[in-house]
Structure formats: C-alpha cells, structure tokens
C-alpha cells in the first residue's frame, strides 16, 4: 500500500487553465504539506495543514488554494496557471512530534510534474 | 528562520570509495531534527538517515553515517563503499521540534552525487 499518494503524476496544460492535484495519506498522520521543487531542484514549503487547519501559508500567490476535506487528504488547486508554475509538486505527511512520533521525518508522495505551455 | 546550506552542488566518487557530503545549518533553537534525503532520477524522496539534536551519538544506517557537530551546526553525511545505486541528489533538511514540527522541513539546495564505475 502506498503511504502517500498523489494524482496525477504528470500534468501538461495551457496557460490560463485551472488544475488540481490530489493527495491522500494512509499513515494516520496529523500534518500534511505541499512542497514545490523548481527546475534547480530546490524544495520549498508552500502550505502545511494540521488536522485540517492551515498552519503555514508561505508567500505563495493566491492562485494556489489548498483544501483539506479531512486529515487524510490535502488537495492543491491552481487557478490561472502561468509558465512559472511549471515544477514538481510534492505532497508529504508527518506525525506531530509532540505525539512521540518516531524519528520526526516527513513521508513524501512521488511528486506531480506540472508543465504549463 | 532556519537556513540549511549545502556548499557542494556536485560531488563525484569512484565506486567502492567513501564520500562525505557537507551540510551546515543556522538556528537559535535547541530541539530539532536533522535529515538526509536522497532523490534518485525517479524523483522519489527517500529518507537516508536522521539525527535528533539531543542525541550526542552520531546516527548510522548500514553504509551511511553522519558527523553531527551541534556546536558547529554541522551535519555531514558519509557514504562508505559507494555503489552505483547511490547516485542521486542528496538533500540535507532541518525540522524544528517547536510547535509539534508543523513547520515541516527546511531543505538545503542539494548535492548531486555521481558514482563513477
């Protein structure tokens, strides 16, 4: 069973379109994240949710809107796509460190490569 | 804000040799976690090794070990008996234990490791 799964894995679309990436985790974790990996491989956090509540919202354009219907799901919707949005988007999850999580690591999905033409 | 610095954009090592990847970080916190993640061409983010700041003993996982120098804020990764499958991007990452760790991971820019047969 895949621990953190994202769909779709690849997404090619035109500028100006709206698209969504879905993420689900079956690890029972409390916190989920979206990361963006740019063309230089740099990974930067975009959002984090803890038990469906937004915790972090980094300086991301408001065209990006995360939605967490329950603590096992965190979806990313992007409006009016721009060329600069082309990247790999990673979903991740972790347990709350205060809950005595083993190791404290984040578990990542396989990434979704978004290409905006 | 915490920062993580990987000063080696690329490293090359002969198969079966030993290589050390450098990482330094900046924080004012005393309780945190440090990680090395590996990203092969498949783009999957794979945890290599973790270190909890309050543990003085350096972590070891088979051929992978770290040299954790808390006072110097240094966290290097040593790979012994390098194998072709070790070729990947390696990311050093920091996670605060404050607030349950909902801030997620702060990543360095990565080191591209090449293994020469």
């Amino acid at each position: 069973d895949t621990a953190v799964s994202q769909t779709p894995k690849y997404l090619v679309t035109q500028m100006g379109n709206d698209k969504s990436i879905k993420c689900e985790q079956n690890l029972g974790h409390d916190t989920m994240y979206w990361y963006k990996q740019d063309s230089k491989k740099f990974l930067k956090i975009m959002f984090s949710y803890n038990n469906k509540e937004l915790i972090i919202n980094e300086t991301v354009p408001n065209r990006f809107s995360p939605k967490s219907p329950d603590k096992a799901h965190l979806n990313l919707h992007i409006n009016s796509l721009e060329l600069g949005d082309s990247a790999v988007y990673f979903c991740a999850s972790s347990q709350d460190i205060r809950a005595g999580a083993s190791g404290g690591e984040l578990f990542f999905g396989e990434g979704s490569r978004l290409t905006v033409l | 804000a915490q920062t993580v610095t990987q000063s080696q954009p690329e490293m090359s090592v002969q198969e079966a040799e030993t290589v050390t990847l450098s990482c330094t970080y900046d924080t004012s916190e005393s309780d945190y976690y440090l990680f090395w993640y590996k990203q092969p061409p498949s783009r999957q983010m794979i945890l290599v090794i973790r270190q909890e700041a309050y543990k003085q003993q350096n972590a070891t996982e088979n051929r992978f070990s770290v040299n954790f120098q808390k006072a110097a804020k240094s966290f290097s990764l040593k790979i012994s008996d390098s194998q072709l499958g070790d070729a990947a991007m390696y990311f050093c990452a920091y996670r605060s234990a404050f607030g349950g760790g909902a801030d997620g991971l702060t990543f360095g820019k990565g080191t591209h490791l090449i293994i020469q047969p």
Side-chain angles (χ1 to χ4, degrees):
Chain A
D1 276 350
T2 303
V4 182
S5 59
Q6 304 178 220
T7 54
K9 301 286 189 291
Y10 296 91
L11 194 52
V12 181
T13 188
Q14 299 287 330
M15 265 197 320
N17 284 351
D18 303 339
K19 290 294 177 186
S20 293
I21 306 172
K22 295 185 176 181
C23 179
E24 176 182 4
Q25 54 98 1
N26 62 7
L27 298 167
H29 288 165
D30 295 318
T31 308
M32 296 185 72
Y33 312 83
W34 279 108
Y35 278 82
K36 179 180 180 180
Q37 186 173 42
D38 62 23
S39 59
K40 295 183 178 179
K41 303 289 188 183
F42 184 57
L43 282 149
K44 185 172 169 60
I45 193 167
M46 300 173 70
F47 304 101
S48 78
Y49 268 75
N50 182 270
N51 277 317
K52 302 195 299 175
E53 180 183 346
L54 179 65
I55 303 297
I56 286 180
N57 182 354
E58 288 293 322
T59 51
V60 175
N62 58 14
R63 298 181 295 104
F64 291 79
S65 53
K67 290 284 193 308
S68 182
D70 56 61
K71 77 170 195 177
H73 295 83
L74 180 61
N75 304 323
L76 183 65
H77 188 75
I78 315 170
N79 290 326
S80 303
L81 278 156
E82 300 178 357
L83 293 176
D85 297 334
S86 294
V88 178
Y89 293 86
F90 283 96
C91 177
S93 72
S94 72
Q95 189 55 282
D96 189 323
I97 290 176
R98 292 167 296 191
S102 60
E105 70 265 33
L106 269 60
F107 293 78
F108 286 83
E110 294 179 333
S112 299
R113 179 177 292 282
L114 171 65
T115 303
V116 183
L117 302 174
Chain B
Q2 296 82 22
T3 58
V4 177
T5 302
Q6 293 179 248
S7 58
Q8 306 151 316
E10 187 172 277
M11 293 281 284
S12 181
V13 64
Q14 293 286 130
E15 198 175 357
E17 298 288 303
T18 295
V19 63
T20 298
L21 307 185
S22 301
C23 174
T24 59
Y25 58 95
D26 188 26
T27 184
S28 58
E29 298 174 342
S30 59
D31 194 10
Y32 51 87
Y33 296 77
L34 295 165
F35 306 89
W36 280 96
Y37 278 84
K38 167 186 176 181
Q39 186 179 40
S42 66
R43 79 169 182 244
Q44 180 68 42
M45 293 292 288
I46 301 166
L47 178 67
V48 175
I49 199 165
R50 71 172 73 85
Q51 176 79 42
E52 295 164 46
Y54 66 85
K55 291 186 177 178
Q56 293 188 346
Q57 186 171 6
N58 288 325
T60 299
E61 289 286 343
N62 300 314
R63 298 182 295 107
F64 299 87
S65 61
V66 298
N67 183 1
F68 174 48
Q69 302 289 327
K70 190 172 184 179
K73 296 179 183 173
S74 171
F75 183 61
S76 61
L77 174 70
K78 185 171 85 172
I79 306 173
S80 303
D81 184 26
S82 298
Q83 300 176 1
L84 294 177
D86 295 334
M89 282 290 287
Y90 285 80
F91 293 97
C92 180
Y94 172 102
R95 185 180 187 191
S96 170
F98 176 77
D103 289 356
L105 297 173
T106 299
F107 285 94
K109 292 188 175 181
T111 297
H112 181 212
L113 179 63
I114 298 167
I115 310 293
Q116 303 203 358

